[in-house]
């Protein structure tokens, strides 16, 4: 069960990143052929993709933990809008959940990875900021994380499902 769940997310990450990434590049080629992102050499794009690949196994661990904890009943995710108190309550809970998640991601990103000396030194967040200029950035740049850094930034999505009740259709 655990390995299959992890494998599902590992494959899904590849579908989203590469399918979406190449799709966005195709859209840029069609609608914005002058965009700097299209001037990045293929070798550099490939380097960014390979950089991303280092983090994908750990990326897949984060939602796997959430699914396992949900299967054991530790999550506040409920099966329907009615079980969450109706549509209005469900949407309110979802807004609260997303506010907490975004706050958690900001906290991890800014304070743990930019401000805290130990985090800056040991969590290699600078890997993510290697690409800062228009002619270096592609659709794959955003996934070029160090694995532990990436997992920490995904953790609020899992953590706050144990705090705020949200119906499964919105989870």
């Amino acid at each position: 069960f655990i390995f299959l769940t992890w494998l599902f997310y590992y494959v899904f990450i590849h579908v989203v990143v590469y399918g979406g990434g190449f799709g966005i590049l195709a859209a840029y080629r069609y609608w914005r052929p002058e965009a700097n992102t299209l001037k990045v050499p293929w070798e550099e794009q490939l380097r960014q993709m390979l950089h991303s690949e280092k983090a994908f196994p750990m990326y897949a661990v984060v939602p796997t933990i959430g699914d396992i904890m949900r299967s054991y009943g530790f999550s506040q995710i409920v099966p329907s809008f009615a079980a969450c108190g109706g549509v209005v309550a469900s949407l309110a809970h979802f807004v609260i959940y997303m506010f907490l998640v975004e706050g958690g991601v900001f906290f991890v990103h800014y304070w743990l990875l930019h401000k805290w000396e130990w985090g800056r030194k040991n969590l290699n967040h600078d890997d993510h900021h290697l690409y800062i200029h228009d002619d270096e950035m592609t659709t794959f740049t955003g996934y070029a994380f160090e694995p532990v850094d990436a997992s920490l930034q995904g953790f609020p999505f899992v953590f706050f499902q144990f705090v705020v009740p949200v119906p499964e259709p919105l989870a």
Side-chain angles (χ1 to χ4, degrees), residues 92-106 156 160 164:
H93 289 157
F94 181 69
V95 168
I96 292 166
Y97 169 78
M98 289 307 299
F99 180 79
L100 291 171
V101 166
E102 289 300 321
V105 170
F106 174 80
F160 288 112
V164 181

Side-chain angles (χ1 to χ4, degrees), residues 118-145:
W118 185 91
R120 275 199 326 264
K121 180 179 170 190
N122 294 295
L123 296 176
N124 301 322
H125 182 66
D126 289 341
D127 280 6
H128 179 64
H129 293 287
L130 289 174
Y131 317 104
I132 57 173
H133 302 289
D134 286 351
D135 60 352
E136 298 173 325
M137 299 180 92
T138 71
T139 54
F140 307 105
T141 306
Y143 300 100
F145 282 98

Side-chain angles (χ1 to χ4, degrees), residues 37-125:
T37 192
L38 298 174
K39 298 173 185 168
V40 177
W42 173 247
E43 295 78 22
E44 179 60 26
Q45 292 182 51
L46 186 59
R47 188 167 80 82
Q48 292 175 13
M49 287 183 239
L50 293 174
H51 192 166
S52 301
E53 285 291 335
K54 294 185 308 186
F56 286 170
M58 286 288 287
Y59 278 172
V61 168
V62 175
T64 301
I65 291 170
D67 281 4
I68 291 166
M69 300 305 275
R70 269 188 11 211
S71 73
Y72 285 108
F74 295 121
S75 172
Q76 293 291 318
I77 293 178
V78 295
S80 67
F81 287 96
C84 196
V87 173
V88 173
S90 296
L91 292 174
H93 289 157
F94 181 69
V95 168
I96 292 166
Y97 169 78
M98 289 307 299
F99 180 79
L100 291 171
V101 166
E102 289 300 321
V105 170
F106 174 80
F107 174 80
V108 168
H109 181 249
Y110 187 70
W111 290 104
L112 293 179
L113 303 171
H114 285 272
K115 293 296 183 186
W116 188 30
E117 183 63 35
W118 185 91
R120 275 199 326 264
K121 180 179 170 190
N122 294 295
L123 296 176
N124 301 322
H125 182 66

